[in-house]
Amino acid sequence: MQLGMIGLGKMGGNMRDRLRAAGHEVVGFDPRPEISDVDSLESLAGALSAPRVVWVMVPSGAVTRDTVRDLATVLDDGDLVIEGGNSRYTDDGPNAALLDRSGIRYLDCGVSGGVWGRDNGYGLMVGGVPEDIQRAMPIFDALRPDGPREEGFAHAGPVGAGHFSKMVHNGIEYGLMQAYAEGFELLEAADLVDDVPAVLQAWSRGTVVRSWLLDLLVRALSDDPTLAGLDDYVDDSGEGRWTIEEAITHAVPLPVISAALFARFASRQESSPAMRAVAALRRQFGGHEVKIAAGPTGAPGEIGGPGDAPDAPATVAVCGAEQRA
């Protein structure tokens, strides 16, 4: 089958390779000429036989919306666009409506598999009408993992259902990753455990917590047993936030996924104003000890202020008194 692929980054480029290995003809377009097969969307449309099938695999948001809008001007009645990026599902209805005015069909496809998908296959969740999905099924079958179709592919529902399913998938991923990360930290903190990577590797076969994510953590630890080479800053690409917003809309409690997202926010703070407020409150109501930040700016003699002499020892302030550290 013939396919146009727009976006040849880590995902799109690997998908092109997997499809070609399965015998499909893929014409790829990317702004980087060194990896692109054609030099423009117009050239892409010209290189494909009508009715065309074009897969969009570019960053979510404005870039995807702009690409769909541009395709509406270069494709023809009867062509099919598959949008496979991590778009928010609310973009799919407007995308489909825009293309429909030119008679162009639309499917949204949530894709999971990351950089490993080229060899292992991709999990696919598709939204759209059955006849459009059937038309593209040779492509879906080539991209999904080997084995029964239902174990790597789902017709999730109408337009938007594919990206909605992928959004929830990624929200679950947040929670799983956070649980593994917290378990790793606790094992590291306990002097009793001598070989943390070995413990995690032992979990990877036969246990109830085995998973591909655990395998990837074990792989990371084999390269850096304490992960000391990494900064603890963790970004998020939006799907976790969208999942929680939908949970609020539908009154569905998501305590684990919410906590995992907020943990990522905490990783980006050099200093936490909220936790400073918690420390202040504990000092005020209970007289609990608090750590004084380096370089305090209060006046000498104040709780938390500098000592009376340059070489005065650090203090740990408690309600109504000072204790020498």
Side-chain angles (χ1 to χ4, degrees):
M1 183 173 175
Q2 192 182 59
L3 178 76
M5 177 69 72
I6 301 173
L8 301 172
K10 293 178 181 178
M11 291 285 283
N14 282 347
M15 292 167 71
R16 176 177 64 173
D17 292 345
R18 184 174 176 87
L19 288 166
R20 286 177 173 174
H24 296 284
E25 179 188 352
V26 183
V27 180
F29 169 71
D30 192 276
R32 295 165 294 175
E34 65 273 16
I35 63 173
S36 188
D37 300 316
V38 293
D39 60 7
S40 67
L41 292 181
E42 292 82 358
S43 297
L44 178 73
L48 300 173
S49 301
R52 308 170 183 87
V53 179
V54 176
W55 191 299
V56 178
M57 206 68 187
V58 300
S60 63
V63 177
T64 293
R65 292 190 291 270
D66 290 346
T67 300
V68 171
R69 186 182 64 246
D70 292 342
L71 285 173
T73 67
V74 301
L75 297 181
D76 298 317
D77 183 27
D79 291 345
L80 172 64
V81 171
I82 305 171
E83 205 278 85
N86 275 334
S87 295
R88 189 163 187 171
Y89 79 97
T90 51
D91 284 349
D92 291 314
N95 285 342
L98 172 65
L99 294 173
D100 186 63
R101 290 196 286 271
S102 300
I104 302 167
R105 309 299 301 163
Y106 181 87
L107 295 174
D108 62 285
C109 183
V111 181
S112 179
V115 297
W116 301 87
R118 182 182 63 180
D119 298 324
N120 298 337
Y122 301 88
L124 306 174
M125 299 139 271
V126 186
V129 299
E131 53 267 32
D132 292 336
I133 289 175
Q134 191 58 40
R135 175 179 168 186
M137 192 57 74
I139 297 298
F140 296 140
D141 279 340
L143 289 173
R144 66 173 176 81
D146 296 335
R149 179 182 289 168
E150 61 270 18
E151 293 182 3
F153 172 88
H155 179 192
V159 165
H163 281 144
F164 190 96
S165 300
K166 180 57 164 43
M167 175 191 72
V168 176
H169 166 283
N170 282 24
I172 294 170
E173 180 184 297
Y174 278 46
L176 292 172
M177 292 171 67
Q178 187 65 27
Y180 285 130
E182 291 175 7
F184 165 74
E185 181 173 356
L186 181 56
L187 289 167
E188 281 278 303
D191 294 336
L192 187 62
V193 179
D194 293 329
D195 194 339
V196 173
V199 170
L200 292 173
Q201 186 169 13
W203 292 353
S204 64
R205 295 287 295 273
T207 75
V208 297
V209 298
R210 65 189 185 275
S211 75
W212 185 47
L213 283 174
L214 178 60
D215 293 342
L216 293 177
L217 179 56
V218 169
R219 186 176 186 269
L221 291 171
S222 70
D223 297 330
D224 184 356
T226 64
L227 303 180
L230 297 176
D231 188 81
D232 62 358
Y233 182 103
V234 182
D235 211 339
D236 72 284
S237 53
E239 294 91 340
R241 302 183 190 213
W242 304 339
T243 302
I244 293 168
E245 289 173 9
E246 290 300 320
I248 294 170
T249 298
H250 297 284
V252 175
L254 299 185
V256 173
I257 295 174
S258 299
L261 176 64
F262 296 151
R264 295 194 181 193
F265 294 167
S267 78
R268 304 169 202 172
Q269 294 181 301
E270 293 183 5
S271 175
S272 170
M275 296 315 295
R276 289 201 300 273
V278 170
L281 287 169
R282 292 182 77 246
R283 179 175 66 178
Q284 292 298 322
F285 74 71
H288 298 289
E289 295 183 359
V290 296
K291 292 184 178 180
I292 302 305
T297 57
E302 291 182 348
I303 295 179
D308 295 330
D311 58 349
T315 63
V316 177
V318 296
C319 187
E322 288 184 346
Q323 295 180 346
R324 295 297 175 182

